[in-house]
Amino acid sequence: MGILGCGVLVFALFFQCHSRSVQNPMFRFKRFQDNDCSRTRHPFVLSNPYNFSLDIRLPGVIPTESDSYYCMAVPVPTSQEAYIVDFVPHATMDTAHHMILYGCKTPYATQGYWDCGKELGTCRDQTKIMYAWARNAPPTKLPKDVGFKVGGDTRINYFVLQIHYGDVKNFRDHHSDCSGLTLRMTSKRQPFIAGMYLMMSVDTVIPPGKKVTNADIACTYTSSPMYPFAFRTHTHSLGKVVSGYRVRNGQWTQIGRQSPLLPQAFYPVTNTIDVRNGDILAARCVFTGEGRTAVTQIGGTSNDEMCNFYIMYYMDNTRAVPYMNCGDDGSSELFRNIPSEANIPIPVSPDHMMSMKHESAPHKDVVELQEPKKEEEVLDQGAHLVEVSDWPEADLQLGQVSGLALNSNGDLIIFHRGDHIWGINSFNLNGIYQQKDLGPIQQSTIMVVDPVKGKVLKASGRNMFYMPHGITTDKDDNYWVTDVALHQVFKLSSDGKDRQLLVLGEAFEPGSDKKHFCQPTDVAVDPVTGNVYVSDGYCNSRILKFSPEGKYISHWGAGSSDRKRRASFLIPHSLTFLPDKQELCVADRDHGRIQCFMADTGEFVKEIKKEQFGGEVFAIAYSPVQGGLIYAVNGVPRDGQVAPLQGFAISYSSKEILDSFSPDAQEFKLPHDIVVTADGNVFVGDAASDSVMKFVQSAKAEHRSVKKGGIEVQEIEGKLFGSSSFFMTQRASLGQSQVDSETETFLQANLKPLPKFPAQHPVAGVQKMQEPSQKQHQQPLAAPEEKETSKTAANQSARGASTTIITTLLLVPLVLVIAVGAFIRWKRGRMYSDDCQVKLEPSGSAGGILGKIRGKAAGSLNLGNFFASHKGYTRHGFDRLSTEGSDLEKDDEDGTDSENEEYSAPPAPMSSS
């Protein structure tokens, strides 16, 4: 048996080593196929008289040291003006760290490639960044009808491709790399021209050891309207978060916010906005001086810092300015009002981190980034909404529940229809109410309810309404309600006396002018200004804005990021006001989407539309926590249900669904309104079941695992206990639920009783949960010692002979397997010998330059010359793409390129804001 064991061990060790040696070559073989330098390529391809493509690839390089930067210049293939309309990257993250395309008039070399990370830069004149690709980042996609203008009189006669190779170990198989990209171009004049706006700090000083240092940049915009569609951040190792904003009339609208530790490519803008003459563009970089022993200044070396915020935008062709910049310090008075999110670091996974050096980032920095403030916690970190099945404790005796709200005490306010029912005969085709003879609702239609137990605290609203719909409260706890039968909006006192403080619209008279509504659905109130917003409604498709006194201010319809596909509201059914963003969001019910607008101007900001909505969004609510969460409920489309009825928690920033929920004890039939409390509890009013359901946050991972296991548990004091025969301790792992502390969970399982398993108290089960199973496995399975020994001796003799035979039979194929494996390994090693290799030597042209030039070269984006003009700064280190040259990373893990992410199509330029 010893010989057999040794043979098996040798075989296992060899197989493991062989599999590892094969794994990387196989992966490299795929990479070899993708970047096969021996394949014949046609750099210029003319697909028709107007459209063509240009392939830009490094000619098979083999870096010999880590953090190498190589550049290659390719002339624009036409002397006339042309437009880049798409970028197609050809690179893999296991080889290239990042890739940037510049445009300029005079590159440092026009033949071959050169080392642009040391003495030489990218261009002799000013360079203009046009594209950036990096691992784990989406490739840049230009919106439709937008192009980068090159050639002609643009002073962009050459493209310069720069590729940063991070870890030279990726080339230990000596394969040659032909990474690059394809430009899809056209000679057709594009309606919109893409451009770049660079915001950069030039004199920030970071004291050593100081925990937080802000670099603020701000400039007043003085050009024609521009439309940002992508952004990019850049700092060195001390940067924690970079944010950019448009400031208009004192209101800050986020353009983009990102951690500079993530891949520094271009990302889609957070909000779809425009920037007009008189607006202020502002940006902030947050640095830390912890770990430094000397002052850190702005510069281009690894020990310096940078603060750059790039805005990729487009403008109308007739007034386009392709490149602009801003380097002014922002005033403390202006930045006193910057949103708090700009100071909150963004959590970054270590796998995605872009460190400055190849050593791992300091553990302390990683911990700080992984432990953001509460505003940055995501809902999915252990939180899941579950129904409170025993709420309310007593029947509320409601009619069709149409609206929900909260007052300043956190009490729940329910607006219902009593004994009135909205049926097919309630309204005619013109929206006129057909059941006036029923009179107003006799019951109290407004109920104030204790959110904890569901006890009715106050009731009002008798003999006032015919068909209640939406309700909200203002800062004084007054009620604002709509009645779709009366076509009116009411402001009511909340003292129970039903005093009408303000009435908008004419009773039973629908209309579409400034003084009439047609079945208005909901109301929202700005808690600061008191301005009132009304969604109008089933007949009209608009949002109206009124002063606190009820004076008409403005109105607007649906927004769109695509000027060719602007669709009107199809029943704006619910409103929610975002006080921290000064925005108003609308549930466009029958379009199945959520649209958000600037509250002051009605300017379209963003749209959230998900397949999970099933084509209907009935109601929305907002919570400012965690950077902003939108809660929503869907409904049943008229053509039948295509998605389950459920509620959603949605990230405002990313527009991603973080959680979905539905009742367990009952089911949604017609969820009509939703509210969220300050502590994260959610109430949903259902108009078909005449009920209100309460949902609270529970541990998401525990909740789902229990349900999957089919085990019924009861939550008591944050732990789940079962009652009888078997107890198990489950620790919530940080990798899945990402909770900060471990929780111990006891689960009752319907298992068959184990033999001689002693009953234990639950508390003892915590300390000794493994003991019963261990003892059982230690018990001998054979009979006691009194059994016969003669039979055992005979069996041992026979077993020894058979062991020798079996060992011999196993060793023969083992030797064959080892021989075959060695042969395969030898063959694969030859596959990547010296084919298609290009030695790392600059071309003749570049070599001449290297021989003639000494000292420092002008950096890309001309930052070297820029900083050289400022006292106390040198051009050292600015030769690397503004400078990107100090972005260094060690990629030890395999990965795949992220999927393409399309930017939204450009909106039509608006004449007014």
Side-chain angles (χ1 to χ4, degrees):
M1 288 299 295
I3 298 175
L4 175 62
C6 292
V8 172
L9 179 61
V10 171
F11 174 75
L13 291 174
F14 174 80
F15 182 78
Q16 182 181 20
C17 296
H18 177 69
S19 63
R20 289 185 177 178
S21 68
V22 171
Q23 181 180 4
N24 286 340
M26 286 302 293
F27 184 78
R28 290 193 295 265
F29 182 67
K30 179 180 182 300
R31 177 180 60 203
F32 179 83
Q33 288 181 316
D34 293 339
N35 287 318
D36 186 358
C37 300
S38 64
R39 288 164 46 190
T40 301
R41 292 190 178 91
H42 301 283
F44 179 79
V45 177
L46 185 66
S47 55
N48 60 46
Y50 303 101
N51 302 331
F52 53 94
S53 63
L54 182 65
D55 197 59
I56 306 175
R57 308 271 193 127
L58 287 183
V61 301
I62 308 175
T64 57
E65 60 182 15
S66 297
D67 302 317
S68 300
Y69 288 78
Y70 298 124
C71 289
M72 175 180 176
V74 175
V76 175
T78 174
S79 59
Q80 305 299 319
E81 67 179 36
Y83 302 86
I84 304 172
V85 296
D86 196 10
F87 303 92
V88 182
H90 307 294
T92 57
M93 55 190 277
D94 67 293
T95 298
H97 178 277
H98 70 251
M99 177 168 60
I100 296 181
L101 182 71
Y102 296 95
C104 66
K105 184 177 181 180
T106 311
Y108 267 103
T110 57
Q111 301 293 327
Y113 67 96
W114 67 94
D115 186 337
C116 54
K118 295 181 180 178
E119 295 186 355
L120 294 182
T122 53
C123 294
R124 297 178 183 274
D125 57 344
Q126 184 177 11
T127 58
K128 301 167 183 177
I129 185 172
M130 309 177 74
Y131 174 81
W133 173 92
R135 58 167 295 180
N136 297 320
T140 304
K141 288 288 183 181
L142 298 181
K144 185 177 175 57
D145 298 330
V146 174
F148 275 99
K149 187 178 179 181
V150 297
D153 59 355
T154 63
R155 295 183 62 83
I156 298 180
N157 304 111
Y158 280 88
F159 299 118
V160 177
L161 173 67
Q162 181 191 63
I163 297 183
H164 171 205
Y165 296 101
D167 192 350
V168 72
K169 291 181 181 179
N170 293 324
F171 290 86
R172 55 180 171 263
D173 61 349
H174 302 291
H175 77 277
S176 56
D177 184 67
C178 296
S179 297
L181 73 159
T182 298
L183 307 181
R184 291 177 180 165
M185 306 176 65
T186 181
S187 59
K188 287 185 177 180
R189 182 181 176 88
Q190 296 298 294
F192 301 96
I193 301 300
M196 195 71 61
Y197 193 105
L198 170 59
M199 307 185 71
M200 57 184 177
S201 174
V202 298
D203 55 7
T204 297
V205 176
I206 305 171
K210 187 175 181 181
K211 188 171 183 179
V212 177
T213 298
N214 296 329
D216 294 336
I217 315 159
C219 289
T220 300
Y221 185 74
T222 58
S223 188
S224 301
M226 76 172 185
Y227 303 87
F229 64 89
F231 73 97
R232 179 176 182 263
T233 65
H234 176 68
T235 71
H236 295 172
S237 61
L238 301 184
K240 296 302 180 183
V241 62
V242 182
S243 308
Y245 298 87
R246 181 202 68 183
V247 185
R248 176 181 290 174
N249 299 325
Q251 295 184 0
W252 294 65
T253 303
Q254 185 185 117
I255 297 173
R257 173 173 168 264
Q258 187 60 280
S259 167
L261 297 179
L262 288 171
Q264 296 177 7
F266 284 94
Y267 295 84
V269 294
T270 305
N271 298 302
T272 304
I273 61 171
D274 64 355
V275 180
R276 297 180 177 273
N277 189 8
D279 291 341
I280 297 175
L281 289 173
R284 165 171 285 182
C285 300
V286 178
F287 297 100
T288 179
E290 292 181 323
R292 291 291 177 96
T293 58
V295 169
T296 305
Q297 296 181 332
I298 298 297
T301 70
S302 300
N303 294 323
D304 296 324
E305 264 303 334
M306 295 200 71
C307 171
N308 289 357
F309 185 80
Y310 298 85
I311 302 174
M312 190 178 286
Y313 62 87
Y314 66 86
M315 303 176 71
D316 185 85
N317 195 326
T318 59
R319 296 173 292 178
V321 181
Y323 294 94
M324 295 176 276
N325 60 70
C326 167
D328 297 344
D329 295 337
S331 66
S332 57
E333 181 179 357
L334 172 67
F335 279 85
R336 189 177 296 118
N337 299 316
I338 190 172
S340 59
E341 64 192 14
N343 302 311
I344 302 173
I346 295 177
V348 178
S349 167
D351 292 339
H352 294 167
M353 194 171 293
M354 291 184 67
S355 60
M356 282 297 300
K357 297 180 182 296
H358 278 299
E359 304 88 58
S360 300
H363 178 69
K364 183 176 181 181
D365 291 346
V366 176
V367 172
E368 288 178 353
L369 288 170
Q370 290 178 338
E371 295 181 358
K373 296 182 180 180
K374 290 184 177 180
E375 289 83 351
E376 280 301 310
E377 295 173 355
V378 296
L379 185 68
D380 203 37
Q381 291 181 346
H384 174 62
L385 289 170
V386 295
E387 182 191 14
V388 180
S389 58
D390 58 352
W391 191 95
E393 295 180 355
D395 186 12
L396 295 177
Q397 298 182 352
L398 303 171
Q400 290 183 333
V401 178
S402 62
L404 300 176
L406 297 168
N407 61 20
S408 58
N409 295 325
D411 299 326
L412 177 67
I413 304 170
I414 303 174
F415 198 28
H416 71 106
R417 295 169 182 161
D419 57 2
H420 283 204
I421 298 176
W422 189 336
I424 59 175
N425 298 319
S426 299
F427 296 89
N428 66 13
L429 296 178
N430 296 320
I432 299 176
Y433 188 56
Q434 301 296 295
Q435 297 174 333
K436 290 169 52 177
D437 55 331
L438 295 177
I441 301 170
Q442 301 297 310
Q443 297 89 357
S444 297
T445 56
I446 301 176
M447 314 273 285
V448 181
V449 176
D450 171 26
V452 178
K453 296 186 177 181
K455 179 181 178 181
V456 177
L457 305 177
K458 192 189 314 182
S460 60
R462 296 186 179 186
N463 298 310
M464 296 183 65
F465 306 111
Y466 287 79
M467 193 62 67
H469 202 275
I471 185 170
T472 193
T473 57
D474 58 22
K475 60 183 179 180
D476 299 319
D477 281 340
N478 297 308
Y479 304 142
W480 290 82
V481 301
T482 68
D483 189 312
V484 292
L486 290 169
H487 307 287
Q488 287 180 300
V489 177
F490 299 88
K491 177 183 179 182
L492 307 175
S493 65
S494 60
D495 55 6
K497 298 180 180 179
D498 295 336
R499 291 182 293 124
Q500 296 185 3
L501 306 179
L502 182 67
V503 180
L504 301 176
E506 300 292 333
F508 299 112
E509 292 187 12
S512 57
D513 56 21
K514 300 177 182 179
K515 296 183 178 180
H516 292 84
F517 306 104
C518 188
Q519 295 180 311
T521 54
D522 203 5
V523 186
V525 181
D526 185 335
V528 177
T529 66
N531 289 333
V532 180
Y533 302 86
V534 179
S535 51
D536 181 34
Y538 283 94
C539 318
N540 298 323
S541 299
R542 58 181 182 169
I543 307 298
L544 292 95
K545 179 180 179 181
F546 298 89
S547 70
E549 298 74 31
K551 181 180 178 180
Y552 169 84
I553 297 177
S554 64
H555 73 274
W556 65 82
S560 175
S561 58
D562 188 345
R563 64 186 181 279
K564 296 181 179 179
R565 295 185 295 176
R566 185 182 296 269
S568 301
F569 288 128
L570 195 56
I571 308 182
H573 196 256
S574 174
L575 299 176
T576 187
F577 194 85
L578 284 55
D580 58 329
K581 305 181 187 301
Q582 283 296 298
E583 295 178 14
L584 181 77
C585 291
V586 183
D588 189 5
R589 195 187 83 175
D590 287 3
H591 274 146
R593 63 185 181 181
I594 302 168
Q595 291 202 330
C596 299
F597 304 84
M598 298 300 299
D600 60 336
T601 63
E603 178 187 355
F604 175 70
V605 174
K606 67 169 55 180
E607 175 179 299
I608 303 174
K609 187 170 185 177
K610 298 292 182 180
E611 182 180 352
Q612 293 92 322
F613 295 164
E616 294 276 324
V617 179
F618 264 66
I620 53 176
Y622 178 76
S623 174
V625 300
Q626 303 167 18
L629 295 175
I630 295 178
Y631 292 81
V633 287
N634 64 350
V636 181
R638 296 178 181 178
D639 56 354
Q641 183 170 343
V642 296
L645 296 180
Q646 54 189 331
F648 305 93
I650 307 163
S651 167
Y652 170 86
S653 299
S654 67
K655 302 192 288 188
E656 294 301 318
I657 295 175
L658 304 179
D659 187 26
S660 59
F661 56 93
S662 58
D664 295 324
Q666 49 188 319
E667 62 180 12
F668 283 142
K669 295 182 179 178
L670 185 60
H672 200 266
D673 204 4
I674 185 172
V675 292
V676 55
T677 65
D679 56 0
N681 296 333
V682 172
F683 293 89
V684 176
D686 195 297
S689 61
D690 302 343
S691 64
V692 177
M693 306 172 202
K694 180 180 179 180
F695 298 85
V696 298
Q697 294 186 6
S698 178
K700 189 170 187 179
E702 292 175 0
H703 174 76
R704 288 186 175 175
S705 63
V706 170
K707 292 190 69 178
K708 287 181 179 179
I711 304 170
E712 296 181 358
V713 297
Q714 183 178 2
E715 184 176 3
I716 302 176
E717 298 180 352
K719 297 182 179 181
L720 302 175
F721 286 84
S723 60
S724 63
S725 61
F726 183 75
F727 297 95
M728 178 186 305
T729 298
Q730 173 182 331
R731 294 187 182 273
S733 67
L734 292 175
Q736 179 178 355
S737 61
Q738 299 181 3
V739 291
D740 293 332
S741 61
E742 295 183 348
T743 59
E744 293 185 321
T745 306
F746 294 84
L747 303 178
Q748 176 187 2
N750 296 323
L751 302 176
K752 294 183 179 179
L754 297 176
K756 299 182 182 180
F757 187 79
Q760 297 184 16
H761 191 276
V763 175
V766 178
Q767 304 296 332
K768 301 180 180 181
M769 63 172 185
Q770 297 293 346
E771 291 182 7
S773 60
Q774 290 174 354
K775 290 179 179 179
Q776 279 197 335
H777 285 91
Q778 291 172 358
Q779 291 176 356
L781 297 178
E785 293 181 0
E786 292 84 2
K787 291 208 171 187
E788 302 176 2
T789 59
S790 60
K791 185 180 295 185
T792 302
N795 290 339
Q796 288 178 349
S797 177
R799 194 178 302 121
S802 61
T803 298
T804 303
I805 297 173
I806 293 173
T807 301
T808 303
L809 293 176
L810 286 176
L811 285 178
V812 172
L814 179 61
V815 173
L816 293 176
V817 169
I818 293 174
V820 172
F823 177 75
I824 293 175
R825 184 176 182 182
W826 175 74
K827 289 291 291 182
R828 293 191 181 279
R830 293 199 59 187
M831 184 181 298
Y832 305 97
S833 56
D834 297 324
D835 295 342
C836 306
Q837 294 187 10
V838 178
K839 291 185 178 180
L840 185 57
E841 294 179 358
S843 64
S845 175
I849 297 173
L850 281 170
K852 297 176 181 179
I853 297 180
R854 294 293 182 267
K856 281 62 178 180
S860 62
L861 286 173
N862 216 16
L863 288 181
N865 294 334
F866 181 86
F867 284 104
S869 65
H870 288 70
K871 184 177 181 180
Y873 295 95
T874 68
R875 294 165 55 188
H876 177 67
F878 280 93
D879 304 315
R880 298 184 184 179
L881 54 104
S882 84
T883 73
E884 311 298 335
S886 50
D887 290 341
L888 311 178
E889 178 183 15
K890 183 175 183 178
D891 302 332
D892 290 327
E893 299 182 4
D894 294 331
T896 56
D897 297 330
S898 56
E899 297 178 356
N900 292 357
E901 181 170 347
E902 295 284 349
Y903 295 104
S904 57
M910 302 170 61
S911 58
S912 64
S913 59

